[in-house]
């Protein structure tokens, strides 16, 4: 009798097991099907992005729930030799480097080797004391008062600095811009001081410290300092666009001035590995990461959406994120992490250009099932007409696009004004004036457009009309110092 009961129970258990296996198999199949559909949407987005933004290439990836979820790369990393982008292609990551440097500093903090509120000269004795005390905390949060680049030439510096010390000495004797903690001034040069701190405290080079304490623990085998003179396989070439929107090679730049603020090269995959190691406690503890993600509060009580090496979402943003974007010579990059959803995304692009948007945010929205719209750059479109048919065609096409409010284009005042500036940059001042006067009729009483008209008339040496439009712009924004200075300059002539 008991044997029969056992047989019944066994049959019942077996039926339950089969049903459960079927449910799990179906659920797994359904999940895989959803993932495949999402992968297709993500890759389609990348191709649309390349086509609409007219960029050479993009590499991107998504991290989800503890794993690298998706990777892809599209376009060309070398336009002259038709070299296609791959997941292993090495891009300049620009200011994402700051996040890595900040994590390295916080590792030393965790070990009790540094005090965030100590004066920086405590750890970098060759950096002279200033009128006010500069702390490690100030430098991490860009509130130190240390200057940024003096010019585009310094941004694209060709000078090779053989050591971090030599790079720091280029600005070490400069006055501070303000009392530390009272204002925010984003500066890559300040992060060179953090590299110096790391070297002096750890007694090894900045590069060696990163390799042993960040790259190796995270599994980042290819990430390295971008040395201009070195032969680096799979290194991507950088580009820019001329004023009339044609691809040109980016200027030669040596990144030794700003290694800690923007001097690394990496892949999308390895940046996702960095994110994984950051979130799972491999690199720093959760408590330390939380400390890095606190917004900076100035002495004036103003909140700055930046912590230690990471930008932070504004309280009004529906998406709660932290991350960093970068714009370097010939490259653009972005990293965004949404902790509550355990999702992150990165992108690497081999051009520095305007109107690139935020592909990392777009990729996260796609994974979350939201719709994404990629806009075209109006300047690219209008210069197609201009280069082929002249100014009348450009104005006619602008009017068509603007009057229909074509959703494919970014029609902000800034983007519309840029076309006028670009025409002036190629010494077509009369065409720039015609175009901007037309835009002024479409977008009346707009500070950006009126300022652009003032600038173009001034470049055309028509000081009377330049003054007129500067004054109209001044009425809309009386506190703008550039316009005020231009008015003063013209009225004194």
């Amino acid at each position: 009798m008991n044997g029969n009961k056992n047989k019944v129970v066994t049959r019942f258990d077996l039926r339950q097991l089969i049903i459960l296996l079927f449910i799990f198999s179906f659920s797994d199949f359904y999940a895989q099907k959803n993932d495949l559909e999402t992968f297709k949407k993500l890759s389609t987005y990348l191709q649309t992005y390349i086509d609409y933004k007219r960029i050479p290439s993009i590499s991107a990836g998504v991290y989800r729930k503890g794993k690298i979820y998706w990777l892809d790369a599209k376009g060309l990393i070398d336009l002259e030799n038709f070299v296609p982008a791959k997941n292993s292609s090495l891009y300049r990551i620009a200011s994402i480097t700051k996040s890595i440097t900040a994590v390295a500093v916080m590792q030393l903090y965790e070990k009790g080797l540094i005090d965030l509120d100590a004066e920086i000269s405590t750890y970098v004795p060759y950096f002279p004391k200033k009128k006010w005390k500069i702390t490690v905390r100030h430098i991490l949060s860009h509130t130190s008062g240390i200057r940024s680049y003096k010019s585009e030439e310094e941004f694209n510096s060709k000078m090779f600095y053989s050591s971090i010390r030599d790079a720091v000495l280029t600005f070490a004797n400069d006055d501070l811009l303000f009392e530390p903690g009272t204002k925010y001034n984003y500066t890559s040069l300040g992060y060179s001081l953090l590299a110096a701190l790391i070297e002096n405290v750890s007694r090894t080079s900045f590069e060696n410290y990163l390799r042993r304490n960040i790259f190796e623990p995270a599994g980042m085998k290819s990430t390295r300092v971008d040395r201009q003179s070195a032969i680096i396989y799979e290194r991507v070439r950088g580009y820019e666009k001329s004023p009339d929107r044609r691809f040109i090679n980016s200027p030669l730049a040596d990144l030794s001035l700003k290694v800690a603020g923007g001097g690394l090269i990496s892949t999308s995959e390895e940046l996702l590995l960095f994110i994984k190691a950051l979130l799972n406690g491999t690199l720093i503890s959760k408590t330390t990461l939380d400390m890095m993600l606190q917004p900076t509060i100035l002495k004036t009580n103003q909140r700055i959406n930046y912590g230690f090496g990471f930008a932070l979402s504004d309280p009004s943003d529906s998406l709660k994120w932290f991350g960093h974007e970068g714009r370097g010579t010939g490259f653009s990059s972005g990293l965004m992490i949404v902790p509550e959803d355990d999702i992150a995304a990165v992108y690497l692009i081999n051009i520095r250009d305007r109107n690139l948007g935020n592909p990392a945010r777009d990729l996260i929205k796609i994974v979350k099932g939201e719709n994404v719209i990629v806009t075209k750059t109006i300047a690219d479109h209008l210069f197609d007409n201009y280069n082929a048919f002249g100014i009348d065609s450009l104005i006619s096409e602008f009017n068509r696009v603007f009057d229909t409010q074509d959703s494919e284009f970014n029609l902000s005042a800034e983007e519309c004004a840029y076309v006028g500036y670009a025409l002036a940059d190629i010494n077509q001042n009369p065409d720039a004036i015609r175009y901007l006067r037309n835009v002024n009729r479409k977008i009346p009483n707009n500070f950006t457009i009126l300022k652009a008209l003032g600038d173009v008339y001034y470049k055309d040496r028509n000081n009377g009309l330049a003054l007129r439009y500067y004054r109209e712009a001044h009425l809309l924004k009386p506190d703008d110092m550039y316009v005020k200075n231009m008015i003063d300059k013209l009225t004194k002539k």
Side-chain angles (χ1 to χ4, degrees), residues 280-291:
N280 68 18
T282 298
L283 299 180
I284 53 175
S285 69
K286 184 180 183 303
T287 301
T288 301
L289 178 58
D290 288 343
M291 184 188 303

Side-chain angles (χ1 to χ4, degrees), residues 297-455:
I297 306 298
L298 300 179
K299 290 182 178 180
T300 59
N301 289 324
Q302 179 186 355
R303 171 194 165 113
I304 303 296
N305 294 324
Y306 198 96
F308 295 168
F310 288 105
L312 311 173
S313 58
D314 189 83
S316 63
D317 196 334
S318 60
L319 194 66
K320 304 307 175 187
W321 58 268
F322 69 93
H324 219 294
E325 286 195 307
R327 297 291 180 267
T329 306
F331 291 85
S332 303
S333 61
L335 175 155
M336 179 176 278
I337 303 167
V338 184
E340 64 183 26
D341 294 322
D342 202 15
I343 295 177
V346 299
Y347 69 88
L348 301 168
I349 298 172
N350 59 332
I351 195 168
R352 181 168 65 120
D353 197 18
R354 58 190 298 104
N355 194 36
L356 291 178
N358 189 338
R361 188 183 185 102
D362 289 348
L363 294 170
I364 288 172
K365 290 176 70 174
I366 291 170
V367 172
K368 290 165 66 71
E370 300 175 27
N371 292 326
V372 168
I373 297 175
V374 183
T375 60
K376 294 179 180 178
T377 301
I378 187 68
D380 288 335
H381 181 67
L382 293 182
F383 268 99
D384 285 345
N385 287 267
Y386 185 77
N387 292 329
F389 306 110
I391 189 62
D392 289 334
S393 178
L394 182 152
I395 291 174
S396 176
E397 180 59 13
F398 170 80
N399 289 341
R400 183 196 70 78
V401 170
F402 190 87
D403 291 345
T404 58
Q405 286 296 294
D406 193 329
S407 61
E408 285 192 336
F409 293 96
N410 178 353
L411 293 173
S412 67
E414 289 74 17
E415 286 300 307
C416 294
Y418 170 77
V419 177
Y421 282 119
L423 287 166
D425 285 344
I426 59 173
N427 296 316
Q428 299 298 322
N429 294 335
D431 289 348
I433 290 167
R434 278 190 62 193
Y435 165 77
L436 285 171
R437 286 174 65 91
N438 179 73
V439 175
N440 190 37
R441 288 190 288 271
K442 298 289 184 181
I443 314 176
N445 301 315
N446 182 277
F447 172 82
T448 300
I449 303 302
L450 293 170
K451 174 179 167 292
L453 271 165
D455 288 340

